[in-house]
Amino acid sequence: GSGSSKLPLWASFLLDLPWIEIAGEVWKIGRKALRGLANEGIYEVLDYETNLELHDSKGKKASLKKREKIRYLQDHIIAYQDQAWGDGKILVNYRCSPGVAVDRYRLGYKTLVLISLRKVKNKGDVDEFNIQWDIRQGFLMKDGYWSTDISQRTKHLKIKVIFPKVRPPLRLLLEENNRQRTQELGPEAQKQLPDGRWCVTWEMNKPKLYEIYVLRWVW
């Protein structure tokens, strides 16, 4: 009869609690925590500068120098990963300091280089990597470009491209791939060095995470 349809007192109490709201809040907190851990990464970049030099007017020989100052965000780090891509033969005569390049493998269009630090780094430690390599047959077209992938939180980015004295850039563009935005760089972005070469510079504070910045030129 009617007695069997009544719920026990403890069951009625449980039904009165806002379980759906509580579960929803727990889910929101969990998502925020996971997103925070995912975005934190192993290190943050304090200062990142790339210097690409085209050594001849035909674009057959070029070299890249990178300086990346980082702060570790986790303990017990023993390796650092560099990445490269581009036309022609890249990563020729690869050099790095500190650390030793111990492995290299392809992942999609990128080549990843694993650098053994030869010591253990902990949260708060700072390293400044100086990396360089040569490029062969990489800039043979009249339209050239150099792209920088922001894969870690970065405070400052600077891109420099040096052109031969006899072949300066005629037009310069800066593209933001993900935002699908392009801006033309004016004459203030380039200057002639004392030895006659042409230096193009573009820099930005707090570049957007996961954005790809592409410096394009016609020469």
Side-chain angles (χ1 to χ4, degrees), residues 160-161 187-194 196-201:
K160 293 173 65 177
V161 182
E188 70 280 356
Q190 69 181 82
K191 66 177 181 179
Q192 191 166 23
L193 301 175
R197 294 176 301 159
W198 298 88
C199 180
V200 172
T201 304

Side-chain angles (χ1 to χ4, degrees), residues 36-196:
L37 288 173
N39 287 342
E40 184 180 54
I42 296 175
Y43 61 87
E44 65 176 343
V45 180
L46 304 177
D47 195 23
Y48 182 35
E49 180 178 340
T50 65
N51 189 331
L52 172 69
E53 181 172 357
L54 310 178
H55 292 287
D56 65 282
S57 60
K58 295 184 178 180
K60 292 183 178 181
K61 294 182 179 181
S63 60
L64 179 77
K65 294 181 180 179
K66 296 200 301 183
R67 183 182 63 83
E68 192 163 3
K69 187 176 182 179
I70 70 170
R71 179 190 291 124
Y72 297 98
L73 301 176
Q74 298 180 23
D75 292 332
H76 313 303
I77 306 301
I78 61 172
Y80 172 80
Q81 186 169 271
D82 191 18
Q83 55 184 358
W85 57 88
D87 297 330
K89 189 175 182 181
I90 63 173
L91 297 173
V92 179
N93 300 322
Y94 186 93
R95 289 93 78 198
C96 65
S97 177
V100 178
V102 293
D103 194 15
R104 184 184 298 186
Y105 60 98
R106 289 294 298 270
L107 184 64
Y109 67 93
K110 296 181 179 180
T111 298
L112 303 182
V113 180
L114 184 66
I115 298 174
S116 170
L117 299 177
R118 290 297 195 262
K119 58 179 65 176
V120 178
K121 298 293 183 173
N122 292 310
K123 185 174 182 179
D125 289 346
V126 173
D127 261 335
E128 182 169 300
F129 289 93
N130 288 280
I131 297 170
Q132 53 186 307
W133 68 76
D134 298 327
I135 303 167
R136 298 288 181 261
Q137 312 292 324
F139 300 94
L140 304 179
M141 310 294 289
K142 69 174 184 177
D143 301 289
Y145 72 94
W146 185 256
S147 62
T148 303
D149 188 344
I150 305 299
S151 56
Q152 305 289 339
R153 286 186 304 176
T154 302
K155 293 183 181 284
H156 180 252
L157 168 66
K158 186 174 185 179
I159 301 171
K160 293 173 65 177
V161 182
I162 297 177
F163 295 82
K165 176 181 178 179
V166 297
R167 195 176 179 187
L170 305 175
R171 190 184 183 197
L172 296 165
L173 298 170
L174 193 284
E175 295 180 359
E176 297 172 75
N177 254 12
N178 296 335
R179 299 177 71 179
Q180 297 186 333
R181 191 165 73 177
T182 302
Q183 60 175 305
E184 186 147 6
L185 301 182
E188 70 280 356
Q190 69 181 82
K191 66 177 181 179
Q192 191 166 23
L193 301 175
D195 62 4

Side-chain angles (χ1 to χ4, degrees), residues 21-35:
E21 289 84 354
I22 293 173
E25 289 304 312
V26 170
W27 171 248
K28 288 179 184 178
I29 293 171
R31 283 185 63 188
K32 286 182 180 178
L34 288 173
R35 189 164 60 244

